[in-house]
Coordinates of all heavy atoms in Angstrom, one line a residue:
S1 N 0.8 -1.1 0.0 CA 0.0 0.0 0.0 C 0.8 1.2 0.0 O 0.6 2.2 -0.7 CB -0.9 0.0 1.2 OG -1.8 1.1 1.2
L2 N 1.9 1.2 0.8 CA 2.8 2.4 0.9 C 3.5 2.6 -0.5 O 3.8 3.7 -1.0 CB 3.9 2.2 2.0 CG 3.4 2.4 3.4 CD1 4.4 1.9 4.4 CD2 3.0 3.9 3.7
F3 N 4.0 1.4 -1.1 CA 4.5 1.6 -2.4 C 3.6 2.3 -3.4 O 4.0 3.1 -4.2 CB 4.9 0.1 -2.9 CG 5.4 0.2 -4.3 CD1 6.7 0.6 -4.7 CD2 4.6 -0.2 -5.4 CE1 7.2 0.6 -6.0 CE2 5.1 -0.2 -6.7 CZ 6.4 0.2 -7.0
I4 N 2.4 1.8 -3.4 CA 1.3 2.4 -4.3 C 1.2 3.9 -4.0 O 1.1 4.8 -4.8 CB 0.0 1.7 -4.2 CG1 0.2 0.2 -4.6 CG2 -1.0 2.4 -4.9 CD1 -0.9 -0.6 -4.3
T5 N 1.1 4.2 -2.7 CA 1.1 5.6 -2.2 C 2.2 6.5 -2.8 O 2.0 7.5 -3.3 CB 1.0 5.7 -0.7 OG1 -0.1 5.0 -0.3 CG2 0.8 7.2 -0.3
N6 N 3.4 5.9 -2.6 CA 4.5 6.7 -3.1 C 4.7 6.8 -4.6 O 5.0 7.8 -5.1 CB 5.9 6.0 -2.7 CG 6.0 6.0 -1.2 OD1 5.6 7.0 -0.5 ND2 6.8 5.0 -0.6
S7 N 4.2 5.8 -5.4 CA 4.1 5.8 -6.8 C 3.0 7.0 -7.3 O 3.4 7.7 -8.2 CB 3.6 4.5 -7.4 OG 4.6 3.5 -7.0
I8 N 2.0 7.0 -6.6 CA 0.9 8.0 -6.9 C 1.4 9.4 -6.5 O 1.1 10.3 -7.2 CB -0.4 7.7 -6.3 CG1 -0.9 6.4 -6.8 CG2 -1.5 8.8 -6.5 CD1 -2.1 5.8 -6.2
Q9 N 2.1 9.5 -5.4 CA 2.6 10.7 -4.9 C 3.6 11.4 -6.0 O 3.7 12.6 -6.0 CB 3.3 10.6 -3.6 CG 3.5 11.8 -2.8 CD 3.8 11.6 -1.3 OE1 4.2 10.5 -1.0 NE2 3.9 12.7 -0.6
A10 N 4.2 10.6 -6.8 CA 5.1 11.2 -7.8 C 4.3 11.9 -8.8 O 4.9 12.8 -9.6 CB 5.8 10.0 -8.5
Q11 N 3.0 11.8 -8.9 CA 2.2 12.5 -9.8 C 1.5 13.7 -9.2 O 0.7 14.4 -9.8 CB 1.0 11.6 -10.3 CG 1.5 10.3 -10.8 CD 2.3 10.4 -12.1 OE1 2.3 11.4 -12.8 NE2 3.2 9.4 -12.4
E12 N 2.0 14.1 -7.9 CA 1.3 15.2 -7.2 C 1.3 16.5 -7.9 O 0.4 17.3 -7.8 CB 1.9 15.3 -5.8 CG 1.3 14.4 -4.8 CD 1.8 14.6 -3.4 OE1 2.9 15.1 -3.2 OE2 1.0 14.5 -2.4
N13 N 2.3 16.7 -8.8 CA 2.5 18.0 -9.4 C 1.5 18.1 -10.7 O 1.5 19.2 -11.3 CB 3.9 18.2 -9.9 CG 4.8 18.3 -8.7 OD1 4.4 18.8 -7.6 ND2 6.0 17.9 -8.9
S14 N 0.8 17.0 -10.9 CA -0.1 17.0 -12.1 C -1.3 17.9 -11.7 O -1.7 18.1 -10.7 CB -0.7 15.6 -12.4 OG 0.4 14.9 -12.7
T15 N -1.8 18.5 -12.8 CA -3.0 19.5 -12.6 C -4.2 18.6 -12.4 O -4.5 17.7 -13.1 CB -3.2 20.3 -13.9 OG1 -2.0 21.0 -14.1 CG2 -4.5 21.3 -13.6
T16 N -4.9 18.9 -11.2 CA -6.2 18.2 -10.9 C -7.3 19.1 -11.2 O -7.3 20.3 -11.0 CB -6.2 17.8 -9.4 OG1 -6.1 19.1 -8.7 CG2 -5.1 16.9 -9.0
T17 N -8.4 18.4 -11.8 CA -9.5 19.3 -12.3 C -10.7 19.0 -11.4 O -11.8 19.4 -11.7 CB -9.8 18.8 -13.7 OG1 -10.1 17.5 -13.7 CG2 -8.7 19.1 -14.6
I18 N -10.6 18.2 -10.3 CA -11.7 17.8 -9.5 C -11.3 17.6 -8.1 O -10.2 17.1 -7.8 CB -12.4 16.5 -10.1 CG1 -13.7 16.3 -9.3 CG2 -11.5 15.3 -10.1 CD1 -14.6 15.3 -10.0
N19 N -12.1 18.1 -7.1 CA -11.7 17.9 -5.7 C -11.7 16.4 -5.4 O -12.5 15.7 -5.6 CB -12.7 18.6 -4.8 CG -12.4 18.5 -3.4 OD1 -12.8 17.6 -2.7 ND2 -11.6 19.6 -2.8
A20 N -10.6 16.0 -4.6 CA -10.5 14.5 -4.4 C -11.5 14.1 -3.5 O -12.0 13.0 -3.6 CB -9.0 14.3 -3.7
N21 N -11.9 14.8 -2.4 CA -13.0 14.4 -1.5 C -14.3 14.2 -2.3 O -15.0 13.3 -2.0 CB -13.1 15.4 -0.4 CG -12.0 15.3 0.6 OD1 -11.3 14.3 0.8 ND2 -11.6 16.5 1.2
N22 N -14.6 15.2 -3.1 CA -15.9 15.1 -3.9 C -15.9 13.9 -4.8 O -16.8 13.2 -5.0 CB -16.1 16.3 -4.7 CG -16.5 17.5 -3.8 OD1 -16.9 17.4 -2.7 ND2 -16.2 18.7 -4.3
L23 N -14.6 13.6 -5.4 CA -14.5 12.5 -6.3 C -14.7 11.1 -5.6 O -15.4 10.3 -6.0 CB -13.1 12.5 -6.9 CG -12.8 11.4 -7.9 CD1 -13.8 11.3 -9.1 CD2 -11.3 11.4 -8.5
S24 N -14.1 11.1 -4.4 CA -14.3 9.9 -3.5 C -15.8 9.6 -3.3 O -16.3 8.5 -3.4 CB -13.5 10.0 -2.2 OG -13.7 8.9 -1.5
K25 N -16.6 10.7 -2.9 CA -17.9 10.5 -2.6 C -18.7 10.1 -3.9 O -19.6 9.3 -3.9 CB -18.4 11.8 -2.1 CG -18.0 12.2 -0.7 CD -18.5 13.5 -0.3 CE -17.9 13.9 1.1 NZ -18.5 15.3 1.5
H26 N -18.3 10.7 -5.0 CA -18.9 10.4 -6.3 C -18.8 8.9 -6.7 O -19.6 8.2 -7.1 CB -18.4 11.3 -7.4 CG -18.8 10.9 -8.8 ND1 -20.1 11.2 -9.2 CD2 -18.2 10.2 -9.8 CE1 -20.2 10.7 -10.4 NE2 -19.1 10.2 -10.8
L27 N -17.5 8.4 -6.5 CA -17.2 7.0 -6.9 C -17.9 6.0 -6.0 O -18.2 4.9 -6.5 CB -15.7 6.8 -6.9 CG -14.9 7.6 -7.9 CD1 -13.4 7.4 -7.8 CD2 -15.4 7.3 -9.4
S28 N -18.1 6.3 -4.8 CA -18.6 5.3 -3.9 C -20.2 5.5 -3.6 O -20.7 4.8 -2.8 CB -17.8 5.4 -2.5 OG -18.0 6.7 -1.9
T29 N -20.8 6.5 -4.3 CA -22.2 6.6 -4.1 C -23.0 6.0 -5.2 O -22.7 6.2 -6.4 CB -22.5 8.1 -4.0 OG1 -21.8 8.6 -2.9 CG2 -24.0 8.4 -3.7
I30 N -24.0 5.2 -4.9 CA -24.8 4.5 -5.8 C -26.2 4.8 -5.5 O -26.6 4.7 -4.3 CB -24.6 3.0 -5.9 CG1 -23.1 2.8 -6.4 CG2 -25.6 2.3 -6.8 CD1 -22.8 1.3 -6.4
I31 N -27.0 5.1 -6.4 CA -28.5 5.4 -6.1 C -29.1 4.1 -5.8 O -29.2 3.1 -6.8 CB -29.2 6.0 -7.3 CG1 -28.6 7.4 -7.6 CG2 -30.7 6.2 -7.1 CD1 -29.1 8.1 -8.8
L32 N -29.7 3.9 -4.7 CA -30.3 2.6 -4.4 C -31.7 2.6 -4.7 O -32.5 3.4 -4.3 CB -30.1 2.4 -2.8 CG -28.8 2.2 -2.2 CD1 -28.8 2.1 -0.8 CD2 -28.0 1.0 -2.9
P33 N -32.1 1.6 -5.5 CA -33.6 1.5 -5.9 C -34.4 1.0 -4.7 O -33.9 0.4 -3.8 CB -33.6 0.4 -7.0 CG -32.4 -0.4 -6.8 CD -31.4 0.5 -6.1
E34 N -35.7 1.3 -4.8 CA -36.6 0.9 -3.7 C -37.5 -0.3 -4.1 O -38.3 -0.1 -5.0 CB -37.5 2.1 -3.3 CG -38.4 1.8 -2.1 CD -39.3 3.0 -1.8 OE1 -38.9 4.2 -2.1 OE2 -40.3 2.8 -1.0
P35 N -37.3 -1.4 -3.6 CA -37.9 -2.6 -4.0 C -39.4 -2.6 -3.5 O -39.7 -2.2 -2.4 CB -37.2 -3.8 -3.3 CG -36.6 -3.1 -2.2 CD -36.2 -1.7 -2.5
I36 N -40.3 -3.2 -4.4 CA -41.7 -3.3 -4.0 C -41.9 -4.9 -3.9 O -42.7 -5.3 -2.9 CB -42.6 -2.7 -5.1 CG1 -42.4 -1.2 -5.2 CG2 -44.1 -3.1 -4.8 CD1 -43.2 -0.7 -6.4
K37 N -41.3 -5.7 -4.7 CA -41.6 -7.1 -4.8 C -40.3 -7.8 -5.1 O -39.6 -7.5 -6.1 CB -42.6 -7.5 -5.8 CG -42.9 -9.0 -6.0 CD -43.9 -9.3 -7.0 CE -44.0 -10.7 -7.4 NZ -44.9 -11.0 -8.6
R38 N -40.0 -8.8 -4.3 CA -38.8 -9.6 -4.6 C -39.1 -11.1 -4.4 O -39.7 -11.5 -3.4 CB -37.6 -9.3 -3.6 CG -36.8 -8.0 -4.0 CD -35.7 -7.8 -3.1 NE -34.8 -6.7 -3.6 CZ -33.8 -6.2 -3.0 NH1 -33.4 -6.8 -1.8 NH2 -33.2 -5.2 -3.5
V39 N -38.8 -11.8 -5.4 CA -39.1 -13.2 -5.4 C -37.8 -14.0 -5.2 O -36.8 -13.8 -5.8 CB -39.6 -13.7 -6.9 CG1 -39.8 -15.2 -6.9 CG2 -41.0 -12.9 -7.1
Q40 N -37.9 -14.9 -4.2 CA -36.6 -15.7 -3.8 C -36.4 -16.8 -4.9 O -37.3 -17.4 -5.4 CB -36.8 -16.3 -2.5 CG -36.9 -15.4 -1.3 CD -35.6 -14.5 -1.2 OE1 -34.5 -15.1 -1.3 NE2 -35.7 -13.3 -1.0
P41 N -35.1 -17.0 -5.3 CA -34.8 -18.1 -6.3 C -35.1 -19.4 -5.7 O -34.9 -19.7 -4.5 CB -33.4 -17.8 -6.5 CG -32.8 -17.2 -5.2 CD -33.9 -16.4 -4.7
K42 N -35.4 -20.4 -6.6 CA -35.6 -21.7 -6.2 C -34.3 -22.4 -6.1 O -33.4 -22.2 -6.9 CB -36.5 -22.4 -7.2 CG -37.9 -22.0 -7.2 CD -38.8 -22.8 -8.3 CE -40.2 -22.3 -8.4 NZ -41.0 -23.1 -9.4
Y43 N -34.2 -23.3 -5.1 CA -32.9 -24.1 -5.0 C -33.0 -25.2 -6.0 O -33.8 -25.9 -6.1 CB -32.8 -24.6 -3.6 CG -31.4 -24.8 -3.0 CD1 -30.9 -23.9 -2.0 CD2 -30.5 -25.6 -3.6 CE1 -29.6 -24.0 -1.5 CE2 -29.2 -25.7 -3.1 CZ -28.8 -24.9 -2.0 OH -27.5 -25.0 -1.5
P44 N -32.0 -25.2 -6.9 CA -31.9 -26.3 -7.8 C -32.1 -27.7 -7.3 O -31.3 -28.0 -6.2 CB -30.6 -26.1 -8.6 CG -30.2 -24.6 -8.4 CD -30.7 -24.4 -7.0
I45 N -32.9 -28.6 -7.7 CA -33.2 -29.9 -7.2 C -31.9 -30.7 -7.0 O -31.6 -31.2 -6.0 CB -34.1 -30.7 -8.0 CG1 -35.6 -29.8 -8.0 CG2 -34.4 -32.0 -7.5 CD1 -36.6 -30.5 -8.8
N46 N -31.1 -30.8 -8.1 CA -29.9 -31.6 -8.1 C -28.9 -31.0 -7.0 O -28.2 -31.8 -6.4 CB -29.3 -31.7 -9.5 CG -30.1 -32.5 -10.4 OD1 -30.9 -33.4 -10.0 ND2 -29.9 -32.2 -11.7
A47 N -28.8 -29.7 -7.0 CA -27.9 -29.1 -5.9 C -28.4 -29.4 -4.5 O -27.5 -29.7 -3.8 CB -27.8 -27.6 -6.2

C-alpha cells in the first residue's frame, strides 16, 4: 500500500480538475432502488 502511495505521490504535481474528496464520494455513491416485490430463487433440485 505504501509503495502504491509513493508511486501515486510522484504524480502530485499534475494538474487536478476535480476535488479529491468530492471524487471519492462520487465514486462510492450509488443510487439505491426501492424494492416493491422480490421473489426468492428456487434451490436447484440436483444441488
